[in-house]
């Protein structure tokens, strides 16, 4: 074998993988950067520079969208981190029917998001929905969950948490199970309570798991779309619009260039928030 | 060693060939239809020995809501007997999802032979000049009324035949309740609001709103166009040419105020944000709700859901501020278009001819009752037409009608339905809603590359 063959030989094996990467990932990314600066139909296009970005930023609903997206991401992420930790600790303890309860928590994750959205929007009907008719039994006059502009977004966020908490809990369970038993024994010998065990061992030592949950659910929240579309379609008016639903509306109206520009903005926005967060979280991680 | 290199190269090339094959699959979408054609021709050949003429099979793309599909099927069954032309249905969803599907299928050259699609501004968005067959000089188009032809005409050429009857954007009302409460059909907005007050006092919902289905919220704006046009005759042109705005034309702004006022006065049903179109129609039919601003094609759905109540429903135009201005805003029916690149254009033309003929229209009308006057000469409303439609005829006879704005201008902002929900549920004011709509329209006009924007 010549020297050149030896040097290039191994690279030949990379070609199939590279082709797939190029065709399905690299090319669309570069193309979407380009198409975000055009007005295009499916058959032809014309270049218009940064006009799409200007239009997208002057979108009336956009400021609402940015705010809503942040609120949505922070609320869903926060609740998943806290509730997931509590559930994870509970389900790794010596509780009865542990495996059964674990599968109950994980069950909503397996459902289709659209189905969950439709089911909950029916249950949240202000006068005939299951939730408010149940509340009425106790004499509570339930709010219009999806129609009240102040709480509609939070209602959807809660459904998102209900559906997504299974994954967070499973990650926590894995993290907590990896903590060596000796730590807990040592604490017991020193006379610590189970509260102490949770506070001084479980919480700090499940930090790697917690970081995964934070990153996953935060990015998931920022680019969330399906649930909000199934439940409110961004309404009433524009009060529950997220960036992703605004982008979808542009696409629906046939403004493909504008929708692509919106996606580039979303991509840059998520990267700007997620990378520093990831850096920060991994730096403060504790090693076992 | 040399052999190994050769083997690697062979491996790599084969992988690349597989990838190329995979990529090739994308463009092979046409193969099934091509094969279908061949088999069709082959069948034809064998058929000639037993049957007099070869049977042609056409594909027809149509939406599946309402009763249009059933009526089309009835016509097609007869056509198969008469013309030996069979129709295969290609069902699409309605609304924006369906619009996207049509755009994609047209762009990829995968459109069926015939298409039932919107007229007016939505037709212009799918580039009919390149995609559909010019029907201007076809003999069967002679009896189609000019009022319909204008909404399927692009660059002076007519592209579609009408499917169904016209309808109007108006207020559907429950005549039984009107009788019980001793109310008369209002001539002005003030009278309308006075009626609402009496209905509310009687413990019923005066104005039904069904904002769960957002599109239903637009009727106070869209259906008000007759009144707008009566006061500002140039509005459509000026609006298309970026010279008139909704927010700065008082008569146009009035449409948004009409959306706002019933909410402010508390005339709407309690759960209007969670109410769907179907529930709203039921409320109207039962008389628990009395006014419903809606397209008259809703009468068809009422007949399906509550057939015994259909003649309790009447129709009156959205009232203006003056009793002298009182007319209907009219929606034209969908169009039947022929795919320009279809291989069976002649058969498609024959089918279209049969469809608009007296015979075809009679079969169609036996399955779906007219929601308004017909747009083909010589096809009269039957005696058993809906009460509401009979009430509409008066306005047509007196010439007090105007086509809806979306039929006379290509400009229509995509977010109107969300904006009217916001205005109609008190989230934003009428003024702000109209301003936002003007911005929405600006965006659409720029995307369409209209001159002057």
């Amino acid at each position: 074998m010549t020297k050149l063959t030896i040097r290039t030989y191994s690279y030949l094996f990379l070609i199939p993988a590279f082709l797939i990467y190029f065709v399905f990932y690299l090319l669309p990314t570069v193309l979407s950067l380009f198409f975000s600066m055009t007005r295009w139909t499916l058959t032809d296009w014309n270049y218009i520079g940064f006009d799409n970005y200007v239009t997208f930023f002057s979108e009336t609903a956009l400021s609402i969208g940015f705010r809503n997206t942040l609120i949505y991401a922070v609320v869903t992420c926060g609740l998943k981190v806290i509730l997931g930790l509590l559930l994870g600790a509970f389900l790794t303890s010596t509780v009865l029917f542990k495996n059964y309860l674990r599968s109950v928590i994980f069950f909503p994750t397996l459902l289709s998001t659209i189905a969950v959205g439709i089911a909950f929007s029916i249950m949240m009907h202000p006068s005939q929905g299951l939730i408010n008719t149940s509340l009425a039994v106790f004499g509570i006059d339930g709010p219009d969950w999806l129609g009240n502009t102040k709480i509609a977004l939070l209602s959807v966020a809660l459904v998102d948490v209900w559906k997504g908490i299974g994954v967070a809990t499973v990650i926590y369970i894995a993290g907590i199970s990896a903590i060596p038993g000796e730590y807990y024994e040592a604490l017991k010998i020193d006379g610590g309570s189970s509260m102490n065990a949770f506070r001084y061992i479980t919480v700090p030592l499940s930090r790697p798991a917690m970081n995964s949950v934070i990153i996953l659910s935060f990015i998931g929240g920022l680019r969330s779309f399906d649930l909000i579309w199934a439940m409110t379609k961004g309404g009433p008016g524009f009060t529950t619009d997220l960036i992703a639903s605004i982008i979808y509306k542009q696409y629906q109206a046939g403004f493909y260039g504008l929708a692509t520009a919106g996606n580039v903005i979303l991509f840059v926005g998520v990267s700007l928030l997620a990378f520093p967060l990831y850096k920060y979280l991994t730096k403060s991680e504790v090693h076992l | 060693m040399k052999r190994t290199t050769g083997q690697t190269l062979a491996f790599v090339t084969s992988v690349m060939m597989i990838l190329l094959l995979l990529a090739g699959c994308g463009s092979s979408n046409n193969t099934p239809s091509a094969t279908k054609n061949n088999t069709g021709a082959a069948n034809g050949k064998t058929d000639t020995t037993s049957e007099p003429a070869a049977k042609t099979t056409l594909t027809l793309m149509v939406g599946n809501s309402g009763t249009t599909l059933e009526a089309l099927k009835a016509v097609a069954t007869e056509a198969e007997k008469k013309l030996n032309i069979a129709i295969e249905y290609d069902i699409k969803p309605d609304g924006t999802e369906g619009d996207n599907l049509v755009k994609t299928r047209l762009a990829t050259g995968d459109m069926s032979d015939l298409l039932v699609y919107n007229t007016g501004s939505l037709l212009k968005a799918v580039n009919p000049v390149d995609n559909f067959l010019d029907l201007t000089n076809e003999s069967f188009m002679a009896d189609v009324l000019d009022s319909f032809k204008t909404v399927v005409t692009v660059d002076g050429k007519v592209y579609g035949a009408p499917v169904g009857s016209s309808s109007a954007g108006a207020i559907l009302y429950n005549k039984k309740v009107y009788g019980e409460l001793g109310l008369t059909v209002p001539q002005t907005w003030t009278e309308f609001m006075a009626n609402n007050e009496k209905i509310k006092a009687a413990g019923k919902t005066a104005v039904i709103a069904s904002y769960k289905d957002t599109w239903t919220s637009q009727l106070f704006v869209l259906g008000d166009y007759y009144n707008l046009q009566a006061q500002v005759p140039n509005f459509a042109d000026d609006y298309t040419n970026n010279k008139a705005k909704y927010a700065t034309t008082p008569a146009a702004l009035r449409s948004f105020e009409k959306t706002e006022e019933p909410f402010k006065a508390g005339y709407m049903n309690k759960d209007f944000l969670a109410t769907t179109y179907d529930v709203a129609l039921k409320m109207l039919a039962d008389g628990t709700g009395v006014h419903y601003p809606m397209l008259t094609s809703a009468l068809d759905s009422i007949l399906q859901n509550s057939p015994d109540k259909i003649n309790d429903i009447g129709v009156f135009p959205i009232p203006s501020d003056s009793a002298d201005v009182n007319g209907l805003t009219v929606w034209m029916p969908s169009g039947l278009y022929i795919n320009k690149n279809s291989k069976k254009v002649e058969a498609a033309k024959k089918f279209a001819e049969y469809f608009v003929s007296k015979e075809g229209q009679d079969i169609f009308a036996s399955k779906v009752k007219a929601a308004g006057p017909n747009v083909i000469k010589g096809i009269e409303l039957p005696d058993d037409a809906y009460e509401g439609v009979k009430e509409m005829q008066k306005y047509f006879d007196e010439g007090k009608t105007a086509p809806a704005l979306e039929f006379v201008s290509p400009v229509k902002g995509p977010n109107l339905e969300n904006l009217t929900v916001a205005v109609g549920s008190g989230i934003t004011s009428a003024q702000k809603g109209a301003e936002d709509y003007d911005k929405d329209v600006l965006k659409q006009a720029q995307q369409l590359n209209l001159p002057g924007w």
Side-chain angles (χ1 to χ4, degrees):
Chain A
M1 218 192 263
T2 62
K3 247 187 167 179
L4 185 74
T5 340
I6 293 169
R7 241 191 296 143
T8 49
Y9 173 74
S10 50
Y11 286 102
L12 288 176
F13 285 106
L14 290 177
I15 289 180
F18 177 77
L19 272 178
I20 291 172
Y21 179 71
F22 179 78
V23 172
F24 293 107
Y25 295 93
L26 217 50
L27 197 65
T29 310
V30 176
L31 277 182
S32 63
L33 276 177
F34 168 74
F35 276 120
S36 71
M37 294 184 208
T38 61
R39 250 175 224 146
W40 58 289
T41 62
L42 292 166
T43 44
D44 67 343
W45 52 270
N46 59 331
Y47 184 79
I48 52 161
F50 283 94
D51 278 11
N52 279 331
Y53 289 91
V54 174
T55 316
F56 201 89
F57 276 110
S58 63
E59 176 80 17
T60 326
L62 196 73
S63 53
I64 308 174
F66 267 121
R67 207 191 61 212
N68 281 347
T69 308
L70 269 181
I71 294 175
Y72 190 85
V74 169
V75 168
T76 52
C77 174
L79 285 176
K80 280 178 193 170
V81 167
I82 295 164
L83 294 176
L85 175 64
L86 295 177
L87 285 169
F90 172 65
L91 293 174
T92 44
S93 65
T94 50
V95 66
L96 274 177
F97 311 119
K98 192 161 68 183
N99 286 331
Y100 170 72
L101 291 176
R102 279 184 186 182
S103 48
V104 166
I105 278 289
F106 195 68
F107 168 68
T109 313
L110 304 173
L111 297 174
S112 144
T113 313
I114 301 294
V116 168
I118 293 171
F120 268 92
S121 65
I122 293 168
M123 288 199 283
M124 286 176 171
H125 188 286
S127 56
Q128 288 138 34
L130 182 70
I131 297 178
N132 278 4
T133 43
S134 316
L135 286 177
V137 173
F138 301 103
I140 302 168
D141 194 14
D144 185 353
W145 298 97
L146 298 172
N148 186 324
T149 52
K150 294 200 179 69
I151 61 168
L153 187 68
L154 293 179
S155 305
V156 182
L158 285 183
V159 177
D160 189 312
V161 170
W162 176 80
K163 183 171 157 34
I165 199 145
V167 174
T169 310
V170 165
I171 295 173
Y172 273 120
I173 288 176
I176 293 170
S177 312
I179 301 171
E182 291 88 350
Y183 293 101
Y184 291 103
E185 279 167 26
L187 184 105
K188 238 184 215 165
I189 290 165
D190 287 348
S193 65
S194 53
M195 219 27 239
N196 288 339
F198 179 72
R199 195 172 154 198
Y200 296 110
I201 299 174
T202 311
V203 174
L205 291 185
S206 60
R207 268 305 280 278
M210 187 186 281
N211 291 344
S212 310
V213 172
I214 292 175
I215 288 290
L216 281 178
S217 56
F218 190 67
I219 295 178
L222 285 179
R223 41 173 280 271
S224 177
F225 166 74
D226 38 11
L227 195 62
I228 209 105
W229 197 255
M231 291 183 75
T232 65
K233 290 201 162 60
F238 298 92
T239 43
T240 60
D241 255 330
L242 304 180
I243 309 261
S245 65
I246 294 171
I247 292 170
Y248 186 69
K249 281 181 187 168
Q250 314 298 338
Y251 156 74
Q252 249 192 343
F255 308 158
Y256 301 130
L258 201 57
T260 318
N263 273 321
V264 173
I265 293 169
L266 180 63
F267 166 72
V268 173
V270 171
S271 312
L272 282 181
L273 286 169
F275 278 117
L277 181 69
Y278 184 71
K279 266 264 164 66
Y280 170 75
L281 288 175
T282 43
K283 224 169 59 183
S284 56
E285 219 166 69
V286 187
H287 289 282
L288 285 177
Chain B
M1 267 311 179
K2 210 179 171 192
R3 221 185 75 195
T4 330
T5 327
Q7 274 176 345
T8 327
L9 275 174
F11 172 71
V12 170
T13 24
S14 55
V15 166
M16 285 176 76
M17 280 174 76
I18 288 169
L19 280 175
L20 276 174
L21 265 177
L22 281 176
C25 283
S27 57
S28 69
N29 267 346
N30 285 330
T31 3
S33 59
T35 0
K36 223 181 276 161
N37 288 347
N38 289 340
T39 48
N43 283 344
K45 253 176 205 165
T46 45
D47 281 349
T48 36
T49 49
S50 55
E51 274 178 46
K55 179 173 277 185
T56 322
T57 305
L58 296 174
T59 49
L60 169 71
M61 186 178 242
V62 59
N64 59 354
S65 67
T67 46
T68 310
L69 178 61
E70 285 311 308
L72 262 172
K73 277 183 178 167
V75 180
T77 316
E78 279 304 305
E80 191 167 352
K81 287 181 205 152
K82 287 260 155 67
L83 312 171
N84 215 7
I85 294 173
I87 299 287
E88 224 169 64
Y89 299 92
D90 196 352
I91 306 294
K92 71 172 180 69
D94 278 304
T96 36
E97 306 271 323
D99 296 348
N100 281 327
L101 182 71
V102 167
K103 280 179 203 162
T104 316
R105 294 276 295 266
L106 284 171
T108 51
D110 194 26
M111 182 40 75
S112 45
D113 300 316
L114 292 156
L115 169 71
V116 176
Y117 196 64
N118 306 74
T119 47
S121 65
L122 284 168
L123 169 67
K124 292 189 178 104
V126 295
N127 198 2
V129 180
D130 289 343
N131 291 316
F132 300 133
L133 197 71
D134 173 13
L135 303 178
T136 318
N137 300 318
E138 298 298 330
S139 55
F140 59 83
M141 291 302 287
D143 283 341
V144 176
L145 294 186
D146 287 341
S147 58
F148 177 78
K149 280 185 184 165
T150 54
V151 302
V152 287
T153 300
V154 178
D155 296 343
K157 285 175 181 154
V158 183
Y159 289 95
V163 178
S165 59
S166 63
S167 56
I171 293 178
L172 305 182
Y173 71 104
N174 191 305
K175 297 172 86 154
K176 219 165 146 191
V177 179
Y178 255 57
E180 281 164 16
L181 299 178
L183 301 173
T184 50
V185 169
Q187 302 289 311
T188 65
W189 186 258
T190 322
E191 286 174 35
F192 174 64
M193 292 303 264
N195 277 359
N196 284 338
E197 191 58 50
K198 284 179 198 151
I199 296 164
K200 190 185 175 190
K204 290 175 184 291
T205 298
V207 178
I208 308 170
S210 51
Y211 292 173
K212 176 83 181 170
D213 291 319
T214 43
W215 63 271
T216 63
S217 67
Q218 309 171 77
L219 264 292
F220 272 129
V221 173
L222 297 179
D224 202 34
Y225 183 66
Y226 176 88
N227 301 327
L228 168 56
Q229 198 204 31
Q231 294 167 65
V232 191
N234 293 334
F235 187 78
D237 276 346
D238 288 351
Y239 180 67
T240 309
N241 296 321
N242 198 10
K243 284 181 197 143
K245 294 278 161 213
Y246 258 94
T248 50
T249 311
L253 181 61
R254 194 74 190 100
S255 306
F256 279 88
E257 286 167 7
K258 285 175 182 172
T259 311
E260 188 182 29
E261 281 176 22
F263 170 79
K264 278 198 170 161
Y267 292 148
M268 273 152 48
N269 41 320
K270 201 175 121 242
D271 298 336
F272 63 94
L273 281 168
T275 303
T276 60
Y277 175 59
D278 283 331
V279 172
L281 291 176
K282 197 164 181 308
M283 288 174 72
L284 178 69
D286 293 346
T288 48
V290 184
H291 294 132
Y292 188 30
M294 193 25 66
L295 289 170
T296 52
S297 47
L299 291 168
D300 195 35
S301 311
I302 295 178
L303 180 71
Q304 277 184 314
N305 299 338
S306 355
D308 51 320
K309 304 274 174 59
I310 182 68
N311 283 331
D312 293 344
I313 312 299
V315 175
F316 64 79
I318 294 186
S320 72
D321 289 316
S322 143
D324 301 334
V325 179
N326 191 22
L328 280 173
T329 308
V330 175
W331 263 256
M332 282 296 157
S334 295
L336 177 71
Y337 306 97
I338 300 175
N339 181 1
K340 201 177 192 176
N341 304 314
S342 161
K343 292 190 179 72
K344 299 167 207 163
V345 168
E346 284 313 311
K349 274 190 202 165
K350 265 190 201 154
F351 180 78
E353 182 173 11
Y354 181 75
F355 184 76
V356 298
S357 70
K358 177 90 174 72
E359 194 181 333
Q361 287 297 306
D362 282 348
I363 301 167
F364 191 87
S366 71
K367 290 287 172 185
V368 49
K369 284 172 80 178
N374 276 299
V375 291
I376 299 176
K377 271 176 221 159
I379 312 281
E380 296 294 324
L381 275 181
D383 294 333
D384 62 341
Y386 303 129
E387 283 298 313
V389 174
K390 286 183 187 160
E391 281 182 75
M392 287 164 64
Q393 188 67 49
K394 182 177 81 190
Y395 299 97
F396 279 83
D397 293 344
E398 291 168 13
K400 287 181 173 174
T401 59
L405 184 57
E406 62 196 88
F407 295 112
V408 284
S409 169
V411 183
K412 187 185 181 228
N415 275 324
L416 179 61
E417 52 190 80
N418 300 315
L419 290 165
T420 45
V421 167
V423 172
S425 53
I427 298 170
T428 44
S429 67
Q431 178 69 37
K432 175 85 171 42
E435 282 165 14
D436 285 347
Y437 184 54
D438 285 334
K439 279 189 209 158
D440 198 38
V441 160
L442 171 78
K443 191 169 72 181
Q444 193 240 9
Q446 283 176 345
Q447 293 287 327
L448 283 180
N449 260 335
L450 294 180
W453 290 76

